[in-house]
Structure formats: structure tokens, C-alpha cells
Amino acid sequence: RALAWTGGIIGVLLVAVVLFLAFFDWNYLRGPISRYASAKTGREVAIDGNLRVKLLSWTPSATVEGLRIGHPAWAGPGRTADIERIAVQVKLLPLLKGDVILPLLEFDKPNLQLIADAQGRKTWDFSKGEKKQDDKPFKLPPIRRFIIDDGRIRFSDAKRGLTLNATINATERMGATNRGFVLAGDGGINKAPFLLNVVGGPLLNVDTDKPYPFDADIRAGATRITAKGKVPEPFDLGQLDVNLTVRGPDLEDLYSLTGIALPNTPPYRLSGRLVRD
């Protein structure tokens, strides 16, 4: 009888937990989550829209609407990120083993303002100035469907005299440009204007064991850089392999793009392979 009572109580508790997870209004947690994130990052973080979470699934998911991330105090007023909607799914079984695999990561109208000042501080650095000994290039987990709709990026680097205003889109199918990923914009380097265009295939069912190819075209005055490259392990942004062609009136003009002092030359054309690991 005691075992029966115990089993009945456990069963009731399990049913209660399931019903709670199924019907709980996660919007009640928007405030606590925002306050916790603000305290951890040292800047204002807020969720203005709905927060929806689905845990009772082999692919738990969450949708966040109206996410705002403010600038750190040194950058003045404004927001580092203003995102209309984020949707994410994660595979449950690999997660239990410590492996993060995302069947879906989707951003609707992300608006990013990325600033690096003359002291090297960056608005996208959330470490609050703490330096890590094992600081490594940013690496995303494997993503099966990566979608960005109507994204906008404003970037400025005071040390390099670099500014960029760009749009970014990643669709599931080839668009009118015959590309699924497009980053395009214009800006200035030490007050000299330049154009940027980077295109790649759809970020759908990207195989992490196969390189992801992309093309890039940069024009700064009479200098033009064209590249056919690949990311050897997709979503590991610390690695690149690029076949590069650069041409222009004077090699010295590349200083503003590379930060490397080069000699004055007659008009030139330079081709080579650039690898970053």
C-alpha cells in the first residue's frame, strides 16, 4: 500500500510538471531574465515582445520577440542589437551528451551597431573587460537551417578609420542573385569610400565536414579585391582559405585595408592564396 501511494504521488507530480511546462506563460519570466542578463553583461537587456518556450519535444525550442541589447556605458546612448524576432531549436539527445546541434536558428530584422573605439573596446564584447587566457575565435555550433531576414549592420572602428553600412540576408533557397547568403554595403576607410559584396549558398543543411564556399568583392577607389574562398569547417569563424586577387594603381594604397605598410609601386596585379587558422 505504501508503494502504491508513493507511486501515485510521483505520478501526480509528473503529470503536474508536464501540465506546468505545457501551459505555463513564459512571459512572466521576461523581467527576471532581462534583469539577470543586464547584470551579467553590464548593459541594458530587455525583451519587449513575447517569450515562447516549448520544452516537451525532442527538439526543444524558444522564440524571443523584441530583444534589445544596449551599448556599454563607454559607447554612449544607443543599442548594440535590436532584433524583432529570434527563433531557435536544439536537439535534445545530443544536448544530454553535451553536444549542441541547432536544427533552426532564425533572425527577423536584426539591427546591429558594432563599435570599436580607439582604445580597442568593442560593443560586441560582453566580457565586461575581463580577459580570458583561452580566448579563441568565435565558433558557432552546427546549424541545419540558418535564416537571416532583412538584417542591417552598422560598423565603425576608430583605430582603423573604418566604417560600414551593410545589409545581410541568409535564405533557405537561391534568390534572384542566385545566392542564399548576401552581405552587401558601403563605407569608408580613412575617409576613402569603398564597396563590399560577399555572397554564398543557402545556409540550409550545411555539412560541418564540408567547406562552405563564398565569393567576395571589395572596391576602394581604384583598388579592387576579389576572392573565392571557403570556410573549411562551417561556423568555425577562426578558419579561412581564400584565393585572392588584388589590383590597383599603387600597393601603398593597401595600407588602409590591411594595416601593413607597403612600398609605392606602379600599377600592379597580385594573386595568391590566403589561409587563416
Side-chain angles (χ1 to χ4, degrees):
R1 184 179 297 176
L3 290 175
W5 287 349
T6 302
I9 292 171
I10 292 175
V12 170
L13 290 175
L14 288 175
V15 170
V17 169
V18 170
L19 291 174
F20 173 81
L21 294 177
F23 296 104
F24 178 69
D25 186 355
W26 292 89
N27 284 320
Y28 290 122
L29 296 182
R30 290 183 305 176
I33 291 174
S34 298
R35 289 191 291 272
Y36 175 80
S38 298
K40 293 294 289 183
T41 61
R43 63 181 78 191
E44 180 191 10
V45 178
I47 301 173
D48 291 338
N50 289 316
L51 174 62
R52 299 185 180 92
V53 179
K54 183 180 179 182
L55 295 179
L56 301 178
S57 170
W58 293 113
T59 54
S61 62
T63 302
V64 182
E65 297 177 353
L67 176 64
R68 294 188 291 105
I69 303 175
H71 282 329
W74 61 262
R79 299 173 185 169
T80 299
D82 196 335
I83 307 172
E84 186 171 289
R85 176 179 170 273
I86 303 174
V88 61
Q89 293 178 344
V90 61
K91 285 191 174 182
L92 181 60
L93 293 181
L95 186 63
L96 298 177
K97 298 186 296 182
D99 298 327
V100 179
I101 299 176
L102 305 180
L104 172 69
L105 181 59
E106 182 176 2
F107 295 90
D108 286 345
K109 296 184 178 179
N111 193 336
L112 308 179
Q113 186 174 10
L114 309 178
I115 301 172
D117 69 0
Q119 301 177 41
R121 296 177 295 186
K122 304 174 178 66
T123 57
W124 62 93
D125 179 3
F126 293 91
S127 66
K128 295 193 292 186
E130 301 170 358
K131 296 298 181 182
K132 298 180 180 179
Q133 297 297 325
D134 59 346
D135 192 20
K136 297 180 179 180
F138 185 57
K139 182 177 181 179
L140 287 169
I143 303 169
R144 299 307 178 204
R145 295 171 58 207
F146 194 176
I147 303 169
I148 303 173
D149 181 38
D150 195 18
R152 299 185 180 276
I153 298 175
R154 287 181 294 165
F155 176 81
S156 64
D157 186 332
K159 186 179 291 186
R160 290 166 91 55
L162 172 64
T163 61
L164 173 66
N165 290 305
T167 60
I168 180 170
N169 286 276
T171 61
E172 295 184 81
R173 298 178 180 84
M174 293 294 192
T177 60
N178 201 34
R179 293 292 185 270
F181 174 84
V182 179
L183 171 65
D186 56 48
I189 302 177
N190 292 323
K191 299 181 180 180
F194 78 96
L195 299 173
L196 169 69
N197 191 52
V198 181
V199 295
L203 295 173
L204 174 66
N205 292 328
V206 174
D207 190 338
T208 54
D209 294 326
K210 295 181 180 179
Y212 175 80
F214 66 90
D215 296 339
D217 188 344
I218 303 173
R219 306 187 187 199
T223 300
R224 183 176 182 183
I225 300 175
T226 56
K228 281 191 168 295
K230 60 186 178 182
V231 182
E233 296 182 12
F235 307 119
D236 183 353
L237 305 184
Q239 300 185 56
L240 288 175
D241 191 336
V242 183
N243 289 317
L244 203 64
T245 299
V246 187
R247 59 181 180 268
D250 190 339
L251 266 177
E252 194 271 339
D253 293 341
L254 287 177
Y255 176 78
S256 58
L257 286 171
T258 65
I260 300 172
L262 297 169
N264 291 105
T265 68
Y268 68 92
R269 183 180 185 275
L270 172 67
S271 296
R273 182 181 175 212
L274 173 67
V275 177
R276 179 189 184 210
D277 183 358

